[in-house]
Amino acid sequence: MNTRPILDNMNLPLLGMSLAAILVAFAFAAVGTSYVLRRSRGTIQEPKIRFWAKIGWGVFAVYAVAYMTYFYKKAEPVVIAYPFTAGDNALATGHYKEALDDYKAVVARYPNFGLAHYKLGMLYRVVKQVDGSVAELKKAIALDPNLAPAYFALGSILWTRGTAMDAMPYFEKGLTLDPKTPQRPFFQQIIDRAKKEKAGLIKPGTSGRPHLSTAMPSTPSSSTPTPGAKTP
C-alpha cells in the first residue's frame, strides 16, 4: 500500500527547509571565502589561506551531500503492507474492543499516517466516543490534508453537535477534494443552510438537524458499518 511519507516528526516541507539551510550556508561561505582571499591577495599568507579554503570547501561539500541524503531518505514515501486487516475483520464481526485495540496499535506504529487516525476516528464514532472521534479526524486532516472522507466525517459530527456553520468549512473542503461523492446533495444542503444561518435567515441548530445514532451493540452484527464508510 503506497502511503504519504510516514515520518517521525519529519515531512517533505522539512526537506525543503534543509535544502534552504544548505543554500544559505553556501552563500555565506562563498562570500566569506571571497572576502578573505581578496584581503590576503599578494601577501605571504595567500598560499596558505587558499590551501585551507580548498580543504574547507571539500569538507563542506561532503557534509552537504551527507546532510541532504539523510533528509531525503527520511522524507521518502514508505510502502507498507495494508495494516488494518485485523481491525477490519474484528469490526466486521462486531468485536469493537478488538478493533479499537488494533487500530490504536496501528496509530502507535505509524503516528504520522493520516489514514490510521481516520480509521480510528470513524470507529470511535461507531462506538459513540464522539470526542475521541473528533480528535482523531482532526489529526487525520492535519497529517493528510487531501483525505476527503475525513472532512465529510468531521463535518457531519460537528453538524449533529452544533450548527451548519460549524460543519460548512469541512463540507466545502471535502467537496473540493471529492466533488463526485454520492452524498454531495446532503453536504450541499448543509452548506446552503449554513449560509442562511450566517445571514440570520434561520436560527442556528434549529429543527431538521439529525442526531448521531446510539452506540453499536457489543454483539456481532452483519450490518456493522466499516470505519471507511462516509456516514453523514
Side-chain angles (χ1 to χ4, degrees):
M1 178 173 80
N2 291 324
T3 73
R4 296 177 65 82
I6 299 174
L7 312 172
D8 294 326
N9 300 319
M10 303 174 107
N11 49 33
L12 287 177
L14 187 56
L15 179 62
M17 291 173 60
S18 66
L19 177 60
I22 285 293
L23 292 176
V24 170
F26 175 85
F28 274 101
V31 171
T33 302
S34 176
Y35 175 78
V36 172
L37 289 176
R38 188 163 53 250
R39 290 290 300 271
S40 66
R41 187 173 300 158
T43 68
I44 194 172
Q45 298 294 327
E46 183 179 2
K48 183 183 294 185
I49 291 174
R50 289 187 176 276
F51 171 79
W52 284 109
K54 291 179 181 179
I55 295 295
W57 276 104
V59 172
F60 179 82
V62 171
Y63 174 79
V65 170
Y67 182 82
M68 290 306 302
T69 300
Y70 171 80
F71 280 103
Y72 178 81
K73 288 185 177 296
K74 279 292 185 179
E76 198 172 22
V78 177
V79 178
I80 62 174
Y82 184 77
F84 306 107
T85 301
D88 290 350
N89 291 338
L91 178 60
T93 56
H95 295 90
Y96 303 108
K97 183 180 184 303
E98 289 84 348
L100 276 172
D101 290 342
D102 186 74
Y103 288 164
K104 287 178 181 178
V106 175
V107 167
R109 196 179 316 137
Y110 305 115
N112 295 315
F113 188 15
L115 183 60
H117 289 278
Y118 168 73
K119 299 271 280 186
L120 179 58
M122 292 302 290
L123 183 50
Y124 273 141
R125 181 179 178 181
V126 168
V127 298
K128 201 63 174 179
Q129 297 184 31
V130 183
D131 289 339
S133 180
V134 169
E136 291 300 323
L137 291 172
K138 286 183 176 180
K139 289 179 184 177
I141 289 172
L143 292 167
D144 189 351
N146 295 317
L147 191 59
Y151 290 94
F152 295 141
L154 182 55
S156 296
I157 292 176
L158 296 178
W159 160 238
T160 60
R161 302 181 86 189
T163 70
M165 289 185 291
D166 297 328
M168 183 173 71
Y170 296 99
F171 287 159
E172 288 182 329
K173 179 63 175 179
L175 289 177
T176 62
L177 296 171
D178 185 12
K180 295 183 179 180
T181 176
Q183 292 182 302
R184 184 183 183 95
F186 169 79
F187 299 137
Q188 190 61 55
Q189 180 183 2
I190 305 306
I191 291 172
D192 293 341
R193 180 188 178 92
K195 292 177 180 179
K196 292 180 181 178
E197 289 180 355
K198 281 187 174 182
L201 300 177
I202 59 175
K203 183 178 179 181
T206 54
S207 62
R209 182 174 63 200
H211 297 282
L212 288 175
S213 58
T214 56
M216 289 293 175
S218 57
T219 56
S221 171
S222 59
S223 60
T224 302
T226 63
K230 300 177 183 177
T231 305

